[in-house]
Amino acid sequence: MAPLIPPASTLAPTSQPEPGEAERVAALHAAGILDTEPESAYDDLAQVAAYVCQAPVALVSFVDEARQWFKAEIGLGCREMPIDRSICAHAILEDELLVIPDLTVDPRTAGNPIVTGSDHFRFYAGAVIRSAAGVAFGSLCVLDRVARPEGLSPEQTATLRTLANQVSTLIEHRLSLSEIAAREAEFAASERRFRVMTAAMPQMVWTTLPDGFHDYYNDRWYEFTGVPAGSTDGEGWNGVFHAEDQERAWARWRHSLATGEPYEIEYRLRHHSGAYRWTLGRALPIRDAEGRIERWFGTCTDIDDLKRAESEARQLAAIVETSKDFIGLADEAGRTVHLNAAGLALVGLPDRAAARTLTLAEFFTPESRAAFEGAVMPAARRDGWWEGELAFRRVDTGAAVPVQFNIFPVRDSSGAKVGYGTVTRDLREAKRSEEARDLLIRELSHRIKNIFAVVGGIAALSARGNTEARPFVDAFRERLGALARAHEYVRPHTPDTAPALSGQTVLGLMRLIMAAYREDGRDRVAIAGDDAEIGERSATALALIMHEQATNAVKYGGLSTQTGTVTLAGCRAGDRYRLTWAEQGGPEVRAAPSRRGFGTVLAERSVAGQLDGVLEHDWAPGGLVMRLDVPIANLRL
């Protein structure tokens, strides 16, 4: 009678496994048992199975996709065989046990090479080995070369099942150990990652047990505090806090431990240098799946520089707000970002919201706005600043306000330009003071001119009735006129009152001023040497200095005697110009004066402040020698 099922040796391999087979094989591979080294625990189970079942061959067999592999084998002499020789491949399809009393007559095994070949196996009994999830991995089986029509006894059957269950337990134990090892490895790796991460963090990092006991600090903590490793474990950390902050920090920490709320506080922490630095302390609880706190993870961040910067920023803000100057900030498009109280008052704005609706250009009068847009901003972008006089327009009245306007770029920490700042000064009071001063100067100058005119008139009247006095009066009036002309250069000027200086030079100015000191047709002051062009500002300063020098010479020096003279010589040396005043024939100079007169002090300040030059006095016995040294470029101003 033909078998109902073809022998296993005639079954062709299929590329499409039975439903669930792929999952079974995957689970077997995941168990990690295949191709492992022999183990005595499995060998002992196979040995017991062979002994109890009185069989020459016993196997702990696992059925893979294309082979049958033996974790333990007794009496077979090999570790695996192809799937077409496997009888266990049929056993794993059973619920618990497969017993074939005579392999030669069972249609599933009659054609199997281990039955028909040199092995001549006739009997098979195998108990299924399953995973904890019930997946069939293989079987614990015994084989005999003699058929056993009676099969196994109840005791042998029970023992074989028990041994198969024990194999399953060993596999689960193996999986548990593997999982534990994997977890321990992951924990160790996680610990390493944690330490590497905390070592790389710029903050000080610490952890505590659920009760707040500190048990870990990273290297940054020890680098910052300089304390020995482990010395701040437990409650030792509070000792490195500033005494004034300890109780406050403890109270906040106890509150977090009691409530589980995040911990955050600022305190002063002792640096290894001994100084206390402000630090931000933070901590969060780490909870398990049930919400219980397992640990606290905390950080300390050095914020001392930030605190100082904030303090400086507050001070700067206070300075800006209390300043009497217009201080404003605009973005790159010129839109107002901030304006202080003085700025709001200067242009008649009610508040900062109103200021932010305007651009910088809209603060100016039409004439100054044209200058601002056409010259000021191009110069500020090109040179990095601009300063000069312009006029603001009050928003409320439209009145013009003269100002000293200063503008400069504002940059962020990376150096990128973010806008423009301005510090602008109200010039109205200064203009009023300047106008009052100019009026006083003009009045004084007018009175001095009147004095010159009156003295000249009196001299002329004296000469009308005395022909012999006429030559003296004429010389006197000529000298008086020279002094009047010198006075025009000595007195302060406004742009409207300054004398014309087109083409004027240093020595030309000196001849004009010293004309008053001619006597009997001869120059008491001999002027010679190199010449240089001179501008309005430097002409006034030089005229003041040399007029003061000539006045002193008439009173005390080389021009105070009939025979005394002065040599005034100019000398160019590179980019410098030296003017030397040398007196001869006057009274003997015994020592330098014990005090300086107002005129001398004024002259020295004019040299330093207006000409950026140097004024030296050499009180030689033969007569005073004064040297004035200035940059040639400054003479043209």
Side-chain angles (χ1 to χ4, degrees), residues 310-381:
E310 289 177 348
S311 176
E312 292 172 359
R314 286 193 296 270
Q315 294 172 8
L316 179 60
I319 292 172
V320 169
E321 287 309 307
T322 57
S323 173
K324 301 303 181 182
D325 290 334
F326 176 111
I327 300 178
L329 180 66
D331 60 20
E332 286 196 89
R335 293 183 295 267
T336 303
V337 175
H338 179 79
L339 191 60
N340 69 342
L344 294 171
L346 181 63
V347 295
L349 286 169
D351 50 41
R352 290 188 178 89
R356 284 192 285 269
T357 65
L358 302 175
T359 65
L360 281 180
E362 291 174 313
F363 288 125
F364 294 98
T365 61
E367 298 80 6
S368 290
R369 179 169 181 171
F372 173 79
E373 294 175 336
V376 174
M377 288 308 297
R381 295 186 186 100

Side-chain angles (χ1 to χ4, degrees), residues 120-437:
H120 298 298
F121 286 117
R122 298 286 298 278
F123 173 75
Y124 174 89
V128 180
I129 300 171
R130 295 184 183 277
S131 70
V135 178
F137 285 166
S139 68
L140 174 58
C141 65
V142 294
L143 293 101
D144 199 346
R145 293 180 176 85
V146 178
R148 296 186 183 185
E150 72 284 0
L152 294 178
S153 69
E155 293 80 6
Q156 290 173 328
T157 299
T159 300
L160 197 61
R161 286 174 177 170
T162 300
L163 294 175
N165 290 338
Q166 189 63 31
V167 172
S168 296
T169 300
L170 288 175
I171 293 174
E172 290 304 314
H173 179 65
R174 180 187 189 87
L175 287 173
S176 296
L177 292 178
S178 178
E179 184 176 347
I180 291 172
R183 288 182 179 178
E184 290 178 346
E186 176 58 28
F187 179 79
S190 177
E191 180 74 11
R192 289 193 299 273
R193 289 193 296 270
F194 172 78
R195 292 184 178 274
V196 170
M197 178 188 69
T198 57
M201 290 176 65
Q203 291 95 348
M204 294 165 269
V205 178
W206 47 270
T207 62
T208 79
L209 300 177
D211 62 0
F213 185 93
H214 287 70
D215 61 352
Y216 170 78
Y217 294 93
N218 70 343
D219 293 340
R220 205 73 63 242
W221 167 269
Y222 294 110
E223 291 170 4
F224 182 93
T225 60
V227 299
S231 63
T232 50
D233 288 353
E235 299 179 356
W237 57 274
N238 204 40
V240 294
F241 285 15
H242 194 283
E244 297 176 2
D245 301 333
Q246 290 182 10
E247 182 55 37
R248 181 169 56 89
W250 258 118
R252 186 68 188 86
W253 180 230
R254 284 193 293 265
H255 176 77
S256 292
L257 291 176
T259 63
E261 295 177 4
Y263 172 75
E264 182 168 330
I265 189 173
E266 292 182 3
Y267 46 73
R268 286 162 289 182
L269 190 63
R270 189 175 65 236
H271 189 253
H272 63 77
S273 64
Y276 283 91
R277 295 180 63 85
W278 280 103
T279 305
L280 174 63
R282 286 175 171 168
L284 291 173
I286 301 174
R287 301 178 183 272
D288 61 16
E290 286 73 35
R292 293 186 297 267
I293 295 177
E294 292 183 327
R295 297 188 68 77
W296 286 84
F297 180 88
T299 61
C300 297
T301 305
D302 184 351
I303 58 171
D304 197 74
D305 293 339
L306 178 61
K307 295 278 282 189
R308 293 179 187 275
E310 289 177 348
S311 176
E312 292 172 359
R314 286 193 296 270
Q315 294 172 8
L316 179 60
I319 292 172
V320 169
E321 287 309 307
T322 57
S323 173
K324 301 303 181 182
D325 290 334
F326 176 111
I327 300 178
L329 180 66
D331 60 20
E332 286 196 89
R335 293 183 295 267
T336 303
V337 175
H338 179 79
L339 191 60
N340 69 342
L344 294 171
L346 181 63
V347 295
L349 286 169
D351 50 41
R352 290 188 178 89
R356 284 192 285 269
T357 65
L358 302 175
T359 65
L360 281 180
E362 291 174 313
F363 288 125
F364 294 98
T365 61
E367 298 80 6
S368 290
R369 179 169 181 171
F372 173 79
E373 294 175 336
V376 174
M377 288 308 297
R381 295 186 186 100
R382 181 184 66 250
D383 304 328
W385 66 280
W386 186 90
E387 183 174 7
E389 287 192 26
L390 294 172
F392 276 167
R393 176 186 61 86
R394 284 189 64 89
V395 176
D396 52 354
T397 65
V401 180
V403 294
Q404 183 73 13
F405 184 73
N406 176 289
I407 190 167
F408 47 87
V410 176
R411 303 183 182 277
D412 62 17
S413 58
S414 67
K417 186 171 67 175
V418 295
Y420 291 91
T422 175
V423 179
T424 300
R425 179 152 296 177
D426 183 357
L427 293 182
R428 286 176 296 184
E429 186 62 34
K431 289 290 185 181
R432 286 192 286 267
S433 298
E434 187 177 305
E435 289 171 0
R437 185 195 65 187

